[in-house]
Amino acid sequence: MDHFLYQDGALHAEGVPIADIAAAVGTPFYVYSTATLTRHFTLFDDALDWGDHLVCFAMKSLSNQAVIKVLADAGAGMDVVSVGEYLRAKAAGVPCDRIVFSGVGKTAAEMRTALEGGIRQFNVESEPEMIVLDSVAQSLGLVAPITVRVNPDVDAKTHAKIATGKSENKFGIPISRARDVYAMAAKMPGLKVIGIDVHIGSQLTELAPFEAAYKKVAELTEQLRADGHEISRLDLGGGLGIPYTRSNEAPPLPTEYGGLIQRTVGHLGCEIEIEPGRLISGNAGLLVSKVIYVKSGEDRDFLIIDGAMNDLIRPAMYEAWHDIIPVVEPAPGLTPAKYDIVGPICESGDTFAKAREMPPVAADDLVAFRSAGAYGAVMSSEYNSRPLIPEVLVDGDQFAVIRPRPTYEEMIARDTLPEWLK
């Protein structure tokens, strides 16, 4: 469910007409719904209310400070994968004891910043990282709380580029070596083992891969406790998918996911952490764009819009589907047209959809890409010297720009010429 609906023939974000936002900020732009963000967080939070838990929003999916503050105010923690995300979370007022630091390539400088600023835990991904973290913590006279991310060799049955839990993936320590790695950690004075971490991928649409991974984590927990380790926290990652089209089968609900967690690891008495991103932010955002031209080709029509692959790269990168709808509600019974929907960038890869049926639209009409809140703005770039597009937050009948569009002058001024070229 989201809060982007037609009202009186016009698409709204909660109580605000999309066309009003377009008139105020120009196109293209992202718009997020506060009500959808908080509702989706609450679904996860309620699904784990059977035990001690923390829902940490995966900031890599959407990292605008305003969005982070909305979720933090609702009680969310944050899962960060870089020092930049860590500092964004802190700037948005997230308490340090609600920030989890994940990621396969943490540097000593990043570790130092997080230790000095305060951190809930590091999810350590390798023995070399563990050695560096121990050294940094000792140099500061601190002890770093850690979980070790184990790779359970479970096929998440998702896109190859977002699968993270198979033995061929770069993430985590093979679960077969986990006991040796925990024994190594226990001997390091700068580290304190507090739990286990696992994450098998993103956009999972069935529960079976989670169940297989969590059963392995439960078995490992018993083994590590028998070895004398204190395992009081299980970070079970994220990855629950969303429906990107209204016609496909819906993924499992957070309530079903929470029930699975209770069945597989609830008996262990551990605090549970999960790190959802896409399911909280994905359907909470739209990308809104304007039609530049409708062009007739040899064997197809092209809908050329002012949004491009630098603004939303998921279709080019993952062959991802986004429902694309007109901002003005189509008349009932209108015969759909078929378009290749493309942007203005000088690449054939700048294609959002091929042979997509949708109500006919004309130049200057507005269209909206649904389910664009996750991995949209955060993956955007200035390719072709196109400025980053605005982000807008709606709350009820009010809206605000939470990231402005830079001017061309501001974008170009970031370049500097060396003295010998002046």
Side-chain angles (χ1 to χ4, degrees):
M1 176 184 172
D2 60 48
H3 293 77
F4 302 107
L5 301 170
Y6 289 113
Q7 301 176 33
D8 298 324
L11 187 64
H12 282 58
E14 300 186 25
V16 180
I18 294 293
D20 287 0
I21 303 174
V25 306
T27 57
F29 63 89
Y30 282 100
V31 57
Y32 311 120
S33 159
T34 296
T36 308
L37 288 165
T38 53
R39 178 181 183 274
H40 289 173
F41 164 75
T42 301
L43 287 174
F44 275 111
D45 202 35
D46 290 348
L48 296 176
D49 64 3
W50 47 265
D52 194 12
H53 68 276
L54 180 66
V55 178
C56 295
F57 175 60
M59 279 181 57
K60 60 182 175 286
S61 72
L62 177 56
S63 59
N64 189 287
Q65 284 187 61
V67 170
I68 301 312
K69 181 159 176 46
V70 165
L71 293 171
D73 287 352
M78 296 294 146
D79 172 54
V80 306
V81 293
S82 71
V83 74
E85 287 188 352
Y86 172 82
L87 294 173
R88 278 181 179 269
K90 295 271 285 186
V94 182
C96 60
D97 62 359
R98 282 200 258 148
I99 302 176
V100 172
F101 204 143
S102 302
V104 72
K106 307 177 195 72
T107 67
E110 289 181 311
M111 295 170 182
R112 181 176 294 273
T113 297
L115 283 167
E116 291 176 334
I119 194 75
R120 179 178 176 85
Q121 77 202 37
F122 292 91
N123 292 338
V124 174
E125 300 230 12
S126 67
E127 295 99 317
E129 179 190 338
M130 188 181 296
I131 292 168
V132 172
L133 180 57
D134 174 59
S135 175
V136 173
Q138 287 194 65
S139 73
L140 296 172
L142 299 172
V143 175
I146 70 163
T147 68
V148 176
R149 179 170 178 174
V150 296
N151 186 320
D153 194 23
V154 167
D155 185 356
K157 302 185 186 303
T158 188
H159 194 287
K161 292 182 180 179
I162 51 177
T164 63
K166 297 173 69 176
S167 60
E168 65 200 54
N169 300 132
K170 68 181 181 180
F171 299 94
I173 291 164
I175 198 165
S176 60
R177 289 216 322 269
R179 295 175 76 179
D180 291 339
V181 174
Y182 273 86
M184 175 183 169
K187 297 175 182 176
M188 295 183 172
L191 305 181
K192 177 176 174 54
V193 171
I194 58 171
I196 303 171
D197 174 42
V198 67
H199 180 67
I200 61 173
S202 183
Q203 188 51 20
L204 275 70
T205 56
E206 54 185 83
L207 290 177
F210 289 118
E211 183 170 11
Y214 297 166
K215 284 181 176 178
K216 290 187 176 186
V217 168
E219 182 180 1
L220 178 61
T221 301
E222 302 283 16
Q223 292 171 344
L224 292 175
R225 284 175 170 173
D227 291 343
H229 302 286
E230 179 186 346
I231 305 298
S232 58
R233 186 177 295 168
L234 299 180
D235 186 328
L236 299 177
L240 195 60
I242 65 172
Y244 276 98
T245 172
R246 296 298 193 262
S247 61
N248 67 359
E249 185 178 351
L253 297 172
T255 51
E256 298 172 287
Y257 177 60
L260 170 67
I261 293 172
Q262 186 174 19
R263 290 194 307 275
T264 52
V265 300
H267 63 287
L268 297 168
C270 291
E271 180 184 18
I272 301 299
E273 293 170 345
I274 58 171
E275 299 163 357
R278 189 189 309 266
L279 202 146
I280 290 177
S281 61
N283 287 330
L286 302 178
L287 170 66
V288 179
S289 185
K290 183 170 70 173
V291 177
I292 304 174
Y293 303 114
V294 180
K295 171 184 170 181
S296 296
E298 183 74 20
D299 61 352
R300 68 195 64 202
D301 289 340
F302 294 92
L303 194 65
I304 303 172
I305 63 177
D306 63 1
M309 64 185 288
N310 72 296
D311 305 312
L312 179 64
I313 201 171
R314 295 189 70 258
M317 189 170 184
Y318 302 124
E319 301 83 41
W321 174 289
H322 289 267
D323 280 345
I324 304 170
I325 61 172
V327 167
V328 175
E329 188 173 19
L334 196 64
T335 302
K338 187 178 290 186
Y339 303 105
D340 280 14
I341 303 172
V342 302
I345 280 179
C346 294
E347 282 197 31
S348 293
D350 187 23
T351 298
F352 295 109
K354 290 189 174 183
R356 179 70 65 88
E357 286 193 350
M358 63 179 292
V361 292
D364 295 327
D365 286 354
L366 298 175
V367 295
F369 288 66
R370 286 193 176 274
S371 308
Y375 305 102
V378 289
M379 296 181 77
S380 59
S381 73
E382 292 179 343
Y383 186 44
N384 277 198
S385 289
R386 292 168 50 88
L388 296 176
I389 66 176
E391 293 176 271
V392 176
L393 182 66
V394 169
D395 188 359
D397 61 358
Q398 58 186 342
F399 73 91
V401 175
I402 56 176
R403 183 182 74 180
R405 190 193 318 270
T407 65
Y408 288 105
E409 292 75 17
E410 289 169 337
M411 179 178 66
I412 294 168
R414 293 201 304 273
D415 298 346
T416 58
L417 295 177
E419 286 299 321
W420 67 82
L421 290 178
K422 293 181 181 177

